[in-house]
Amino acid sequence: MSYRNRTAALASAAALAGSAVLMAAPTAWAEVVDVNYQCKTPIGDKSAVSPIDIKGVRSGSGYRITMSWQKGVSSSPVELGKGAMTPSATIALGGADSGTLTVTGPANDAAIPANTPIKINDLSGTYTPKKSGEVTFTAGVLTIKALGTTTTCTPTNDPGPSLTLDVTAVSGGGATGSTQGGGPGPGSGSGDELPQTGPDDSAVALGTLGGTVLLAGAAGALWLSRRHQGARVRVSRTR
């Protein structure tokens, strides 16, 4: 094989190696899902539809799961002062895992006027996989505690998953926080640094590895080039 052909073959192999690494990235899929909540309140039943977004970021050996509401749900006949309302919710686990993950968040940071849809702050909890495979995360029951009362809002439209993660089991893993369905007992998220997970971060991390492979291939091609040139010089001198 000629020098140019060997160099081209090395560069092609390095590029293919980088592409193969990127294609091996773990899958993650997310979608904003409309959830039709039926709420049991102290003053009667109410209903509201809110788009729900669930995201996961890596946290140590698990994932920090965050649930977001894009519209308010339920309402109060009286103003709720700052800090008067505390929300929590459950997320149903499906696919390779089962049970529920409870997510919690801070009380309202501003007063909520009377008869106004209650905007829920982002709620979060930590999930540590106890089984390997694709795990789905679907909106469950929302609980709102305010002024000594409790309102529960239950999805009635059988919403689909808002998030799917391809995970690897960790020994002793499971959903932390208050759990049901055989999960571990109460716990809380860690203060670990939370690099982004899912398609974007996987592609970046694995793309870096692919780039390293590509650079290694280029270095090999350069070494062959110099060796080839050295060989030509030695031949010329011999002549």
Side-chain angles (χ1 to χ4, degrees), residues 14 92 134 161 163 205 210:
E134 288 192 348
L163 174 68

Side-chain angles (χ1 to χ4, degrees), residues 95-181:
D97 211 341
S98 61
T100 58
L101 166 68
T102 295
V103 288
T104 59
N108 57 306
D109 55 6
I112 302 173
N115 301 312
T116 300
I118 298 174
K119 177 67 172 68
I120 306 299
N121 291 327
D122 289 355
L123 307 180
S124 61
T126 300
Y127 168 71
T128 303
K130 61 179 182 289
K131 293 184 179 180
S132 298
E134 288 192 348
V135 178
T136 61
F137 298 79
T138 304
V141 176
L142 167 67
T143 301
I144 301 172
K145 294 186 177 182
L147 305 179
T149 67
T150 299
T151 293
T152 56
C153 299
T154 304
T156 59
N157 60 331
D158 192 21
S162 294
L163 174 68
T164 300
L165 291 176
D166 191 352
V167 303
T168 301
V170 175
S171 178
T176 63
S178 179
T179 60
Q180 297 177 358

Side-chain angles (χ1 to χ4, degrees), residues 20-34:
V21 171
L22 289 175
M23 291 176 65
T27 60
W29 174 85
E31 180 182 16
V32 176
V33 176
D34 288 338

Side-chain angles (χ1 to χ4, degrees), residues 69-95:
W69 280 258
Q70 296 187 4
K71 291 184 179 179
V73 297
S74 190
S75 62
S76 171
V78 298
E79 178 179 282
L80 298 178
K82 178 180 178 180
M85 183 272 295
T86 303
S88 63
T90 61
I91 296 176
L93 306 177

Side-chain angles (χ1 to χ4, degrees), residues 6-95:
R6 286 198 302 271
T7 302
L10 282 171
S12 298
L16 287 173
S19 299
V21 171
L22 289 175
M23 291 176 65
T27 60
W29 174 85
E31 180 182 16
V32 176
V33 176
D34 288 338
V35 178
N36 185 358
Y37 283 105
Q38 295 295 322
C39 301
K40 298 288 186 181
T41 80
I43 59 172
D45 295 348
K46 295 181 179 293
S47 63
V49 175
S50 179
I52 300 297
D53 181 28
I54 300 177
K55 289 186 173 65
V57 295
R58 198 61 185 246
S59 176
S61 59
Y63 296 87
R64 188 70 169 171
I65 304 298
T66 300
M67 187 177 187
S68 303
W69 280 258
Q70 296 187 4
K71 291 184 179 179
V73 297
S74 190
S75 62
S76 171
V78 298
E79 178 179 282
L80 298 178
K82 178 180 178 180
M85 183 272 295
T86 303
S88 63
T90 61
I91 296 176
L93 306 177

Side-chain angles (χ1 to χ4, degrees), residues 187-202:
S188 59
S190 68
D192 296 342
E193 183 179 357
L194 306 178
Q196 182 70 35
T197 61
D200 292 341
D201 66 317
S202 298

